Amino acid sequence: MAAELVEAKNMVMSFRVSDLQMLLGFVGRSKSGLKHELVTRALQLVQFDCSPELFKKIKELYETRYAKKSSEPVPQPHRPLDPLTMHSTYDRAGTVPRTPLSGPNIDYPVLYGKYLNGLGRLPAKTLKPEVRLVKLPFFNMLDELLKPTELVPQNNEKLQESPCIFALTPRQVELIRNSRELQPGIKAVQVVLRICYSDTSGPQEDQYPPNIAVKVNHSYCSVPGYYPSNKPGVEPKRPCRPINLTHLMYLSSATNRITVTWGNYGKSYSVALYLVRQLTSSELLQRLKTIGVKHPELCKALVKEKLRLDPDSEIATTGVRVSLICPLVKMRLSVPCRAETCAHLQCFDAVFYLQMNEKKPTWMCPVCDKPAPYDQLIIDGLLSKILSECEDADEIEYLEDGSWCPIRAEKERSCSPQCPILVLGTSDANGLPVHPNLNGGGAGGPAGWGRRGAGAARRAAVENGKPGADVVDLTLDSSSSSEEEEDEDEDEDEDEEGPRPKRRCPFQKGLVSAC
């Protein structure tokens, strides 16, 4: 059955307009339209509704045509061939038809994929520039199954359907089956569908048309949805990525049918099919470490160039600071990286940058917010060397001669209160409260007693006829023993001269800050 199907398609593609009209009229289909539209209808008829009667009619038309051709003079060798009969199964210069092509040797995308309904038009007489899609770092293209082909509306309806029929070669099927799994059910080698604007001015990024839906054989394929927008008045954005069709395809010599449903609102779109190998961020990082490391001496020369004295500038730059903290994750850099097109020396971490673009590809530099595509990334060899040598600093400064010096942050000072603490409820012999030393001890906390206040408390207790309790200041260290002796001498002098008048505090107990 498969061999007969291939033979019927080859015969249909060799038909002229009159033959196609007779075939379509035989099954009650429309006979109007250009030749490539008639070919498209006939091929679809053979693919999906090929009955024995239809096959017999195709063979009859084919034999009738060659019976007439055998009586015609042989055409001149230099006569140009019709574009649609480039893949026909007979020799135009002879009278005997060739053997039809066998199934396994046929390349369906080349043979008839680009003449299908809505996905192709007749090749133009003059060469037109082709639509090109941007290269995606995470997808390594293995084969082009269908070149970028414009989606052509068939009527004035807003919702259009464009089918595409193709088959995988045995080699391609083997590649898919033998590839490793990135996730359960997701192979590394995939058949992906890409859609973009039909713009030939330059490589185009993936862009979905409105109301897009993709059907593979008999099942609909999931298409990435919209990102929710938290900002009022801002429309949600949809990540336009290649659509993986592998899990819904027939991994055999059988033909696969893909139907793209899209909204026709004036803009022109093109679709393409590729066999790709999907890469991970770790694989891209390993590739970058292999081919993207910039030598330390070249980086040093770039630093000198940045700090070179500009005769037209009135400001001389003697150094530039570079942080060793990644601006993406606020962690110390492990693989310092930046785009070669960036004007700054500041780097970001290649590990996190690739992981973020694997989830949501933007390829924008987090330092200057300018494009930083993968093929422009470099690893700073000089900063990598600095990171291994300077482990106790988070910032360095490049100097004019290309050398560098670490910038270490000052240690945090002790968080001691700057206001004195009043100790209430203790009075001397004259009934006046005893104040702690406002500047003594270095304790600075509520538990820190001033040495002078402690000595006065002992003397007041002795004068009242009670044994003086020993007060030990635990906040003092051995280095302040000499200071204690000097304070005790000052206290003895105060006893001889009499206590100084002090202001009475209305509070009776507890600690109150004087601030």
Side-chain angles (χ1 to χ4, degrees), residues 241-253:
R241 302 174 184 173
I243 303 173
N244 184 10
L245 312 177
T246 317
H247 59 290
L248 298 176
M249 293 182 57
Y250 301 136
L251 297 181
S252 63
S253 59

Side-chain angles (χ1 to χ4, degrees), residues 496-512:
E496 294 174 359
E497 296 175 2
R500 296 179 183 177
K502 297 180 180 179
R503 187 171 57 186
R504 184 179 299 275
C505 184
F507 298 97
Q508 297 299 322
K509 59 181 179 177
L511 301 177
V512 178

Side-chain angles (χ1 to χ4, degrees), residues 156-230:
N156 295 327
E157 298 293 331
K158 292 300 181 184
L159 207 60
Q160 298 285 330
E161 282 191 358
S162 299
C164 169
I165 303 171
F166 73 99
L168 297 172
T169 64
R171 181 186 67 86
Q172 293 166 348
V173 173
E174 198 69 19
L175 280 174
I176 296 174
R177 286 181 173 173
N178 295 338
S179 65
R180 63 187 179 89
E181 285 193 349
L182 300 176
Q183 298 175 14
I186 299 180
K187 293 282 191 178
V189 177
Q190 306 167 1
V191 176
V192 297
L193 175 72
R194 298 185 65 183
I195 309 177
C196 67
Y197 288 130
S198 299
D199 187 357
T200 58
S201 60
Q204 299 296 306
E205 295 185 352
D206 293 67
Q207 186 65 48
Y208 296 158
N211 310 114
I212 181 174
V214 180
K215 189 176 181 180
V216 182
N217 296 319
H218 303 290
S219 304
Y220 280 97
C221 183
S222 61
V223 179
Y226 287 90
Y227 285 141
S229 177
N230 297 328

